[in-house]
Amino acid sequence: MTVTAGSAAALALGDDALVLSHRLGEWAGKAPVLEEDVALANIALDLLGQARVLLSMAGDEDELAYLREERAFRNLQLVEQPNGDFAHTIARQLYFSTYQRLLYAELAAGDGEFAPLAAKAVKEVAYHQDHAEHWTLRLGDGTAESHERMRRACEALWRYTGEMFQPVEGVDVDWPALQGRWLASVSAVLRRATLDTPEVPRSGAWSAGAGRQGLHTEPFGRMLAEMQHLHRSHPGASW
Amino acid sequence: MATAAAHQTARAEADGTADEAARTAAYEAVFDAAVAADERIEPRDWMPDAYRSTLVRQIAQHAHSEIIGMQPEANWITRAPSLRRKAILMAKVQDEAGHGLYLYSAAETLGTSRDELLDKLHHGRQKYSSIFNYPTLTWADVGAIGWLVDGAAITNQVPLCRCSYGPYARAMVRICKEESFHQRQGYELLLALSRGTPEQHEMAQDAVNRWWWPSLMMFGPPDDESAHSAQSMAWKIKRHSNDELRQRFVDICVPQAESLGLRLPDPELRWNEERGHHDFGAIDWTEFWEVLKGNGPCNEQRMAQRRQAHEEGAWVREAAAAYAGKQATGASGAGRASGAYGASGADGASETDEQADQPTGKARA
């Protein structure tokens, strides 16, 4: 497969959505309340829908999802992080959905190849962000325990936020401005949730933009093993 | 109620009666007449205590089945073999959570609460459908559940759309629409496997072999051993007997299995010209009662996961309640943000303050 800048970009955005959707799918039947089983599955489905469009722009969606090795995935390290407790899932959602909403809003306003997808997806993502923000408030400003859990989650995942603002080739947005808006939005929510905001997005991994280069964290390989096992066990079969 | 005025008159007369027993008898007569006239009983109508408790038991069990039933299918979400199938399965599991929500709401109209019902489930005092105590061992099981388990559920539930209790009947109308969609998707999944590679075909046949008999058990014990049947039919909660529905299901499945190219695992299954139905082999009722008693393959696992989700979610529910309390009393962090916690954030609070005041998420499900 030849990777043009356009399809490299489609892979990066598509892999983000695919991998986060998978992680949210792991919650099915395990959420703290039934309404959250519905909400998390709803978000997972939206993301999977986006992933299918984006991966199809780059090639065959199933080949790309099921037959690439870990090193060929281009998603952010943030989205591959294990669910952890509900606070970790919410912190991950807050960081990512805010990023995705700002990114898609900008793409939707442009006339690039991602504009049509972004125009549709930005409505879904606005809901995801709304959901994450409200849970951040409830957990941060709920009980002492929920505050502490949310604080820990925000802190633990902060190290993966810097990577979001590494420019993706083929995605035409003003990355430094995106980072500024993201920080303003997230820190405002965290403040309302009585939580501290670290100063600037940070990359804790040994290289900024590692996930975009196919350098992932250890839990990701295991996630892919589970995701791809059945498909790989029946080469050439259709489902 | 079509004859609401008549009932009101009857009730008013009853209210005027000083004698408690006479009043109850008069109410009962109104209730019986409404049931006989195929009218709907609504939450504020008088109803016999036993009718109320039968409905609570049945609707709760139905709701519990939806939420426990998420588990065997969710077991395959992370391994679904194509993105299309993954999306279908996620949507289905989401629908089941939604069905659970409708049904708990319907039960709540009878004067119970979701918390109370969940508590009974978690302590083994209310049951869920025994079918969900069987494991999903291969991908084809997802198809077999859609085709057979949802198929059996629909056969059971379509008559409930005419159930005498209004809120339950209305919930069933919505649920049955979605269930029949799931059933077609399950059938289509199995068809793809059946027509696929020899390994896929074998996977589909194996799943049907394992799910066929448990699906027939979903209709409950034979009519002569069914404790609640007669009363439920008299009250028009049930419209058909267990055995009638089971027979209907078998008759539907036989031609479907043929067009799927899959065998139903019953050597005694054959068309009976005289009866105009298929005869089928004996069900292993020992297995049925064992599973019902808690000794099926997954009973412990299913309950353990349900309890674990509930227990591990307790702090989240407490946080939501505490936050809601603060919002109500104006003691939320927003008011305190300039104090102890909020000092270190970057500027920009003003632009999202407004968003945060909006009501929580859209109800999209």
Side-chain angles (χ1 to χ4, degrees):
Chain A
M1 188 191 316
T2 50
V3 179
T4 63
S7 64
L11 278 187
L13 304 184
D15 286 350
D16 284 349
L18 177 71
V19 170
L20 184 56
S21 168
H22 186 95
R23 284 297 188 207
L24 292 174
E26 293 172 355
W27 269 105
K30 297 177 182 161
V33 282
L34 210 38
E35 285 82 353
E36 282 306 296
D37 272 310
V38 176
L40 295 175
N42 204 332
I43 296 168
L45 262 174
D46 287 344
L47 290 167
L48 185 54
Q50 294 164 18
R52 295 182 66 192
V53 173
L54 286 159
L55 294 183
S56 298
M57 289 169 78
D60 177 85
E61 60 176 36
D62 285 339
E63 253 179 69
L64 288 167
Y66 291 100
L67 299 175
R68 269 182 301 159
E69 305 270 337
E70 182 178 339
R71 292 281 284 110
F73 273 81
R74 293 289 175 261
N75 56 283
L76 297 164
Q77 291 185 348
L78 174 67
V79 296
E80 74 201 29
Q81 294 313 304
N83 288 334
D85 67 6
F86 191 68
H88 278 78
T89 291
I90 291 301
R92 193 182 60 199
Q93 285 303 111
L94 176 71
Y95 295 163
F96 183 75
S97 63
T98 305
Y99 161 80
Q100 213 188 10
R101 184 179 188 176
L102 293 166
L103 177 65
Y104 280 6
E106 195 165 334
L107 290 173
D111 55 2
E113 60 175 328
F114 298 114
L117 171 269
K120 179 174 179 286
V122 78
K123 293 173 201 148
E124 297 166 350
V125 174
Y127 162 75
H128 306 171
Q129 188 190 13
D130 192 54
H131 174 263
E133 287 187 358
H134 281 91
W135 271 112
T136 302
L137 294 178
R138 287 189 199 104
L139 299 183
D141 195 16
T143 62
E145 182 186 4
S146 71
H147 177 86
E148 178 56 17
R149 283 182 186 253
M150 196 63 206
R151 188 192 64 74
R152 265 183 286 173
C154 288
E155 206 170 281
L157 292 170
W158 190 260
R159 69 202 314 265
Y160 301 105
T161 55
E163 192 189 347
M164 295 193 282
F165 309 103
Q166 296 297 312
V168 176
E169 200 196 341
V171 179
D172 184 24
V173 300
D174 183 345
W175 294 96
L178 188 72
Q179 172 169 333
R181 289 203 295 280
W182 181 88
L183 185 61
S185 176
V186 166
S187 51
V189 176
L190 292 180
R191 180 183 314 181
R192 283 180 59 86
T194 72
L195 294 159
D196 290 335
T197 312
E199 277 152 25
V200 286
R202 195 152 53 89
S203 297
W206 24 271
S207 88
R212 297 284 189 231
Q213 300 160 38
L215 298 168
H216 294 280
T217 57
E218 286 184 349
F220 185 53
R222 217 167 276 276
M223 192 207 101
L224 281 189
E226 183 172 342
M227 183 173 106
Q228 297 181 337
H229 167 261
L230 176 59
H231 185 97
R232 285 183 182 268
S233 301
H234 297 264
S238 51
W239 302 91
Chain B
M1 284 188 181
T3 50
H7 291 152
Q8 239 165 32
T9 315
R11 250 185 246 142
E13 278 168 21
D15 287 339
T17 313
D19 180 3
E20 178 81 31
R23 196 157 56 227
T24 303
Y27 278 140
E28 209 157 326
V30 173
F31 172 86
D32 289 343
V35 170
D38 268 335
E39 288 170 8
R40 294 266 191 266
I41 306 301
E42 296 297 340
R44 298 176 65 181
D45 293 339
W46 184 91
M47 61 190 84
D49 289 345
Y51 177 84
R52 189 183 296 275
S53 60
T54 292
L55 275 168
V56 169
R57 180 178 50 76
Q58 182 173 338
I59 300 173
Q61 174 168 331
H62 195 161
H64 299 332
S65 300
E66 295 283 356
I67 62 168
I68 298 284
M70 294 165 75
Q71 291 185 31
E73 295 179 290
N75 185 36
W76 281 92
I77 286 179
T78 53
R79 293 176 288 172
S82 74
L83 296 187
R84 176 173 164 262
R85 293 291 179 196
K86 188 172 183 163
I88 291 172
L89 185 56
M90 272 187 186
K92 182 180 178 189
V93 174
Q94 184 195 18
D95 282 348
E96 282 157 6
H99 296 173
L101 282 171
Y102 304 156
L103 288 162
Y104 285 121
S105 300
E108 284 179 336
T109 65
L110 292 159
T112 179
S113 72
R114 197 206 304 184
D115 286 347
E116 192 180 336
L117 298 177
L118 280 175
D119 197 60
K120 285 183 176 154
L121 171 67
H122 296 152
H123 290 94
R125 296 204 305 275
Q126 282 177 342
K127 296 192 181 308
Y128 55 89
S129 176
S130 61
I131 192 78
F132 300 120
N133 292 313
Y134 290 86
T136 47
L137 301 178
T138 71
W139 170 250
D141 290 35
V142 172
I145 289 183
W147 175 43
L148 295 173
V149 174
D150 293 340
I154 293 162
T155 309
N156 258 327
Q157 290 170 9
V158 165
L160 288 173
C161 297
R162 293 186 294 122
C163 158
S164 59
Y165 189 59
Y168 192 26
R170 289 187 289 274
M172 291 320 303
V173 172
R174 296 180 66 177
I175 290 172
C176 284
K177 278 182 195 157
E178 290 176 349
E179 292 289 4
S180 55
F181 189 57
H182 298 159
Q183 199 251 355
R184 283 205 300 278
Q185 287 169 333
Y187 179 89
E188 195 252 335
L189 191 165
L190 281 183
L191 189 64
L193 294 181
S194 178
R195 292 178 177 174
T197 65
E199 290 79 14
Q200 285 177 305
H201 182 89
E202 192 185 337
M203 192 192 283
Q205 183 61 59
D206 171 61
V208 169
N209 292 349
R210 284 181 290 110
W211 288 92
W212 172 248
W213 291 107
S215 300
L216 292 190
M217 296 177 197
M218 285 176 68
F219 296 93
D223 291 348
D224 48 15
E225 287 173 49
S226 179
H228 305 290
S229 272
Q231 182 61 75
S232 288
M233 286 177 75
W235 277 330
K236 295 190 181 168
I237 295 172
K238 276 181 85 151
R239 296 279 179 162
H240 309 280
S241 79
N242 295 351
D243 288 332
E244 272 170 47
L245 291 169
R246 189 169 9 247
Q247 179 71 61
R248 186 180 297 179
F249 178 67
V250 170
D251 290 340
I252 291 169
C253 285
V254 169
Q256 288 181 347
E258 269 167 30
S259 57
L260 277 171
L262 297 171
R263 277 173 291 106
L264 294 174
D266 179 358
E268 293 173 45
L269 188 64
R270 63 179 57 85
W271 178 250
N272 181 328
E273 190 67 52
E274 242 170 78
R275 291 202 308 125
H277 290 292
H278 292 86
D279 290 338
F280 54 98
I283 289 172
D284 181 352
W285 292 112
T286 312
E287 176 179 319
F288 173 79
W289 293 115
E290 279 302 306
V291 176
L292 214 64
K293 273 192 285 181
N295 301 325
C298 297
N299 299 59
E300 294 214 6
Q301 176 191 330
R302 300 288 185 240
M303 286 304 293
Q305 184 181 320
R306 178 87 276 285
R307 284 196 207 101
Q308 189 182 351
H310 191 74
E311 281 159 19
E312 288 180 358
W315 70 273
V316 177
R317 296 188 299 276
E318 284 158 18
Y323 180 76
K326 290 179 193 180
Q327 292 297 100
T329 57
S332 73
R336 295 185 279 113
S338 56
Y341 293 112
S344 65
D347 255 345
S350 55
E351 63 181 85
T352 44
D353 276 357
E354 285 176 26
Q355 291 173 16
D357 287 333
Q358 289 166 7
T360 306
K362 286 175 280 179
R364 299 203 313 175

